[in-house]
Amino acid sequence: MLFEQIATGGCQSYLLGCPDTQCAVLIDPEISQIDRYQGLASRYGVRIRYVIDTHTHADHFSAAHRISETLGVPTVMHQVSPAPHAGLRLGDDEMLIVGNLRIRALHTPGHTRDSMCLVVGDRVFTGDTLLIGGTGRTDLPTGNPEQLYDSLFGKLLTLDPALLVYPAHDYKGRTHSTIGAEIAENPRLQKRDRAEFVQMMRELNLAAPTHMTEALRTNMTGGKTVSQLLADAAAKVPHIGLEELRRHIDGGANNLLVLDVREDAAFRSGHIPGARHLPRGQLELRVNEEIPDPTMRIVTCCEFGKISTLAAATLRELGFMRAVALDGGMKIWRDKDYPIET
């Protein structure tokens, strides 16, 4: 079996492949590693056939939907997953056949309602059901401590103690464990009485994951993160630097329009000399009357250079093909003591 473990901070994802048939699967991919996954697949000479999420993640952004669209392969999740983009749904004890690999799904609700573990040969990919030295939390949407107890003690921990455990997260640099080691040493698994385990889980009082709402929104629906939206916009538009724009302004150039897309109060407090004001929220509604010449060269600007990038991408979609975004924003412009008009 071809095997590669990819760490992204504390997130763990996995590429598994069959060397005889050059077929592979990705398990729990993270959005920032898409190019790396494709590079690894090329290096091993395998084609990714399935992209699997062991559950609906609340603490990182899944790459499953984007990779499945790019490669034209199914996203695989459990039957009860809320994600509409899951093209293949597995029930308990059902298998994926990938070349000579047999990937068996175990439904293990508790961390989330749709959590599943994947048994492949001598190892089990436990998602967030079982972690090294811990377990998944149960206080997030669809979590349930009673279900987690049943999934652990009634199913997962009854597997061969020699099975290697590969979780979806580990924040201490550890790569794997075994079922036997976790039974013996995992502090949470020492609470073997159901009521004691449930009480322990309910009293953990953990902080909410960073970006939880955005992660749940995007992972449940296949929507885009804010970072994805900005990256997609940046890929569609050219940019102009702050120094280049200042040279144009200082030289008295009249062949470009600086379009400030901030709100009114921010514009009034100080803007680039000669800039025209058109808030981003009114862009589509007012652009025809404000900028009647679609061939005009337009430089959009905002406070930090993000909203202006979205605005420039929108202008290009509307037919203003010479729209570009300022690389940076008014904050850096002010920090450089460049001229300001109020």
Side-chain angles (χ1 to χ4, degrees):
M1 176 171 61
L2 299 174
F3 176 73
E4 190 81 28
Q5 183 173 14
I6 303 98
T8 311
C11 301
Q12 305 292 328
S13 51
Y14 305 92
L15 177 71
L16 308 182
C18 171
D20 296 328
T21 60
Q22 288 78 52
C23 297
V25 298
L26 267 175
I27 299 174
D28 290 329
E30 202 272 342
I31 195 71
S32 68
Q33 298 282 8
I34 289 178
D35 290 342
R36 187 175 179 187
Y37 299 135
Q38 293 175 335
L40 285 170
S42 297
R43 189 178 83 186
Y44 283 118
V46 296
R47 180 179 176 187
I48 296 170
R49 297 289 186 179
Y50 300 101
V51 187
I52 308 173
D53 264 340
T54 56
H55 62 288
T56 302
H57 297 282
D59 47 3
H60 74 263
F61 302 112
S62 170
H65 183 43
R66 179 167 286 199
I67 293 173
S68 68
E69 282 190 325
T70 301
L71 300 181
V73 300
T75 294
V76 181
M77 298 188 74
H78 187 262
Q79 282 181 344
V80 299
S81 167
H85 56 273
L88 181 59
R89 297 170 183 269
L90 297 178
D92 197 31
D93 275 330
E94 294 180 351
M95 286 195 306
L96 285 179
I97 297 178
V98 184
N100 296 328
L101 300 180
R102 300 295 187 269
I103 303 174
R104 180 164 65 99
L106 300 178
H107 187 208
T108 53
H111 174 62
T112 63
R113 181 168 170 258
D114 63 345
S115 289
M116 63 179 180
C117 298
L118 305 168
V119 181
V120 191
D122 64 349
R123 60 202 65 194
V124 55
F125 299 89
T126 56
D128 281 0
T129 299
L130 176 63
L131 307 176
I132 300 173
T135 66
R137 62 196 294 168
T138 58
D139 59 338
L140 300 181
T142 77
N144 184 296
E146 288 90 351
Q147 288 183 344
L148 182 62
Y149 178 89
D150 294 338
S151 294
L152 288 168
F153 292 96
K155 185 174 290 186
L156 188 57
L157 300 180
T158 66
L159 298 175
D160 184 349
L163 277 181
L164 302 173
V165 170
Y166 287 94
H169 292 89
D170 187 85
Y171 295 93
K172 296 183 179 180
R174 299 166 295 191
T175 59
H176 66 281
S177 179
T178 66
I179 292 289
E182 293 308 307
I183 291 173
E185 302 169 8
N186 189 317
R188 292 191 190 175
L189 301 185
Q190 306 317 304
K191 299 285 188 181
R192 293 172 186 172
D193 176 78
R194 194 172 195 268
E196 289 183 0
F197 180 87
V198 169
Q199 181 180 359
M200 172 189 66
M201 296 304 298
R202 287 179 172 163
E203 293 176 352
L204 290 178
N205 194 29
L206 302 172
T210 305
H211 309 304
M212 182 183 75
T213 300
E214 187 179 18
L216 286 173
R217 171 181 62 78
T218 57
N219 294 336
M220 289 176 69
T221 65
K224 291 184 177 181
T225 66
V226 173
S227 294
Q228 284 177 268
L229 201 64
L230 289 168
D232 289 349
K236 297 176 183 176
V237 300
H239 290 72
I240 187 171
L242 294 164
E243 293 180 5
E244 287 72 24
L245 180 59
R246 183 182 179 180
R247 282 202 299 269
H248 278 277
I249 293 171
D250 290 347
N254 60 1
N255 63 340
L256 70 106
L257 167 66
V258 177
L259 190 68
D260 193 316
V261 296
R262 295 176 297 162
E263 294 302 315
D264 186 65
F267 178 78
R268 289 178 179 275
S269 68
H271 51 267
I272 294 171
R276 186 178 300 180
H277 184 224
L278 179 53
R280 173 64 186 89
Q282 301 177 34
L283 184 63
E284 290 87 346
L285 298 177
R286 291 174 48 192
V287 68
N288 291 329
E289 60 188 68
E290 295 287 345
I291 313 175
D293 182 2
T295 67
M296 180 176 289
R297 188 181 185 194
I298 304 168
V299 180
T300 59
C301 69
C302 65
E303 189 66 19
F304 300 107
K306 296 182 178 180
I307 301 301
S308 57
T309 300
L310 294 173
T314 298
L315 286 169
R316 286 187 164 243
E317 289 176 359
L318 292 172
F320 294 86
M321 302 310 297
R322 298 192 68 198
V324 303
L326 183 62
D327 182 19
M330 288 302 302
K331 183 180 185 307
I332 300 177
W333 184 276
R334 290 192 300 270
D335 290 344
K336 289 179 174 289
D337 290 326
Y338 285 179
I340 294 289
E341 190 173 84
T342 59

